[in-house]
Amino acid sequence: MKSKTKSSCGRSILAHTVLILLSFMCLFFFYVLIINATRSHADLQKGFSALPGKYFFTNLKNVANDGSFPMFRGILNSLIVSGCSAALCTYFSALTAYGLYAYDFKGKKVAFTFIMAILVMPTQVTAMGFLKLVTNMGMYDSLLPLIIPSIASPAVFYFMYSYLQSSLPISLVEAARIDGSGEFKTFNRIVLPIMKPAIAVQAIFTFVGSWNNYFVPALIIQSKNKMTVPILIATLRGADYMNFDMGKIYMMITVAIVPIIIIYLLLSKYIIAGVTLGGVKE
C-alpha cells in the first residue's frame, strides 16, 4: 500500500515538474518581449537583459506619434477584420454543419467530401486567382476580401460537425419541428446555445488566425490607413537603417498581442468544454 502511495506521489511530482517547465518555456518568450519593449535601441544592441529598462513609455510614444506608422488605425483595422471574420466564420460554419447533420438528402456525402477536399488545399495555390477575382470585383485595397471569405472555413465546419454528432440529439430537433419551430428559429434558439463551447473555441482560433494573417492582406492592401497589424510591423521592420529602432518594433508587437490576450481571457473558460466535445448523448 505504501509503495503504491509513493509511486502515485512520484508520478504527481514528475507531472507537475513537466508542466512547470512547459509553462516556463511558453511564458519566457512573452517575458523577453515585454522586457525588450522597455529598452532602447542602443540597450538592445548590447544583448539580452533580464531586467526591464526605462524606455517603455518612450517607445510607446514613438510608435504612437510616428506619422508614417498609423499604429492605432492598424489595430482598429485588425480588430474589424478579425472580429467580423470570427463572427461570420463560426456562425456560418455552425449553420453548414447543422444542415449536413440534421438533414438527409441525396448529395449529403458528396457535399461533405467536397468540403473536406477543400480543407487540404493550401491558400497559396489559389492566391493569384483570388487576387484576380478581387480586382475584377473592384474590392482591391479593401478590407472586405479579408472578411467575406471567412464565411467558408472547412476546418471550422468539421469541428462544428463533430461537436454536433456528440452533443446534439436529433430527437431534440425533431421535437422542435413538431412544435412548429422554423428551421432558422430552431438553429438560433436551440442549436446555437448547445454549440456555445465549440463556437467560443473556434472564435478564439479564427480571431488569432485572422489577426496574425500576413499573406493575404499583403497581396490586397496598399493604402497605409487600411493596413493591418502584421503588415505595419513588417513595414516598421523594413524601415531605413538610419531610422531603424528595435525598441519601437518590440513595443508594437507587445501592443499587437494585447487584443489576442483579452479575447482569450474572455473565452478561455469554454476551451475545455469545447475540446471535450460536450457530454450530451442521444
Side-chain angles (χ1 to χ4, degrees):
M1 189 71 179
K2 290 183 178 180
S3 61
K4 288 184 179 180
T5 304
K6 288 181 180 180
S7 177
S8 177
C9 182
R11 285 196 298 267
S12 177
I13 293 173
L14 178 61
H16 282 82
T17 303
V18 172
L19 290 174
I20 290 172
L21 288 174
L22 291 174
S23 300
F24 173 79
M25 292 172 62
C26 292
L27 297 175
F28 177 72
F29 298 102
F30 289 98
Y31 175 76
V32 172
L33 175 63
I34 295 172
I35 290 297
N36 288 342
T38 65
R39 303 173 67 200
S40 65
H41 179 73
D43 291 338
L44 289 168
Q45 295 293 338
K46 297 177 183 178
F48 172 73
S49 173
L51 300 176
K54 302 177 181 178
Y55 293 88
F56 181 87
F57 292 104
T58 301
N59 290 334
L60 182 61
K61 183 179 178 181
N62 290 339
V63 172
N65 295 335
D66 191 339
S68 61
F69 184 77
M71 180 185 74
F72 295 108
R73 180 65 186 181
I75 292 175
L76 178 61
N77 291 337
S78 286
L79 283 173
I80 292 172
V81 171
S82 301
C84 293
S85 296
L88 290 175
C89 179
T90 52
Y91 182 82
F92 283 98
S93 295
L95 186 62
T96 306
Y98 171 72
L100 286 179
Y101 173 73
Y103 292 92
D104 287 323
F105 52 94
K106 207 168 187 180
K108 181 175 181 178
K109 290 185 178 180
V110 176
F112 185 84
T113 304
F114 177 74
I115 295 174
M116 290 297 97
I118 299 175
L119 177 62
V120 300
M121 187 177 297
T123 306
Q124 291 78 2
V125 173
T126 59
M128 297 311 298
F130 177 69
L131 179 60
K132 186 176 181 180
L133 176 65
V134 167
T135 304
N136 292 337
M137 294 178 67
M139 292 193 295
Y140 185 75
D141 196 24
S142 169
L143 297 180
L144 288 178
L146 306 180
I147 298 173
I148 296 175
S150 62
I151 292 176
S153 177
V156 179
F157 155 79
Y158 183 71
F159 184 90
M160 299 294 187
Y161 187 82
S162 300
Y163 189 91
L164 286 174
Q165 285 182 316
S166 66
S167 300
L168 179 65
I170 199 67
S171 58
L172 189 63
V173 177
E174 293 172 350
R177 291 170 180 169
I178 293 173
D179 290 340
S181 176
E183 294 301 327
F184 277 99
K185 184 178 180 181
T186 301
F187 176 74
N188 292 323
R189 297 281 184 88
I190 298 175
V191 179
L192 275 185
I194 293 175
M195 297 185 68
K196 190 182 294 184
I199 290 173
V201 171
Q202 290 304 315
I204 293 174
F205 293 154
T206 305
F207 185 93
V208 173
S210 181
W211 184 274
N212 293 330
N213 187 14
Y214 173 79
F215 180 72
V216 177
L219 288 176
I220 296 173
I221 304 300
Q222 293 295 322
S223 304
K224 276 200 170 183
N225 65 335
K226 295 179 182 177
M227 288 183 176
T228 55
V229 169
I231 303 178
L232 288 176
I233 293 175
T235 303
L236 191 61
R237 181 66 180 84
D240 182 68
Y241 179 77
M242 298 300 294
N243 298 321
F244 182 69
D245 189 345
M246 284 295 294
K248 289 171 64 176
I249 294 177
Y250 280 114
M251 176 54 66
M252 184 59 203
I253 297 173
T254 302
V255 173
I257 65 173
V258 170
I260 297 177
I261 294 174
I262 293 174
I263 293 296
Y264 174 79
L265 292 176
L266 290 175
L267 302 177
S268 61
K269 63 181 180 179
Y270 296 109
I271 287 182
I272 294 177
V275 172
T276 55
L277 300 178
V280 180
K281 300 292 182 182
E282 184 174 5

